[in-house]
Amino acid sequence: MYNTNVTNARANLYNLVNMAIDNSEIVNINTRNGNALLISEDDYNSLLETVYIMQDKKTMEAIKEAKENSDNENYWVDESEVNWDV
């Protein structure tokens, strides 16, 4: 996380935005009234998707089951056995 104050952020906004977009760097902008974060749209959407998935009980159960069975060789199906035309 890159930390800066609001005065420097104002002077370097273009560079900070590019840092967030190009490097997925979170920019913490400090002010007297509190802090604000600058993140890329891709990172923001990723966070929203993570929250959405974590709120879905069926999906989380499927992830948990897959994790528990990841070492069980009988749990997985070979790719050649999958009917991709469905």
Side-chain angles (χ1 to χ4, degrees), residues 10-62:
R10 190 179 306 119
N12 297 304
L13 183 60
Y14 181 80
N15 292 331
L16 295 175
V17 168
N18 284 331
M19 186 186 310
I21 294 169
D22 296 339
N23 305 322
S24 289
E25 185 74 49
I26 298 172
V27 180
N28 183 25
I29 303 170
N30 306 302
T31 74
R32 290 183 182 142
N33 297 328
N35 299 337
L37 299 176
L38 173 66
I39 65 172
S40 72
E41 181 181 16
D42 284 346
D43 289 338
Y44 175 76
N45 288 334
S46 178
L47 288 169
L48 288 181
E49 185 173 357
T50 300
V51 168
Y52 176 78
I53 289 170
M54 292 182 75
Q55 290 176 343
D56 187 320
K57 290 180 182 182
K58 288 177 90 175
T59 301
M60 290 306 295
E61 283 297 320

Side-chain angles (χ1 to χ4, degrees), residues 61-73:
E61 283 297 320
I63 291 170
K64 181 181 175 184
E65 179 183 344
K67 183 177 179 184
E68 291 170 352
N69 291 302
S70 63
D71 293 332
N72 181 352
E73 63 186 50

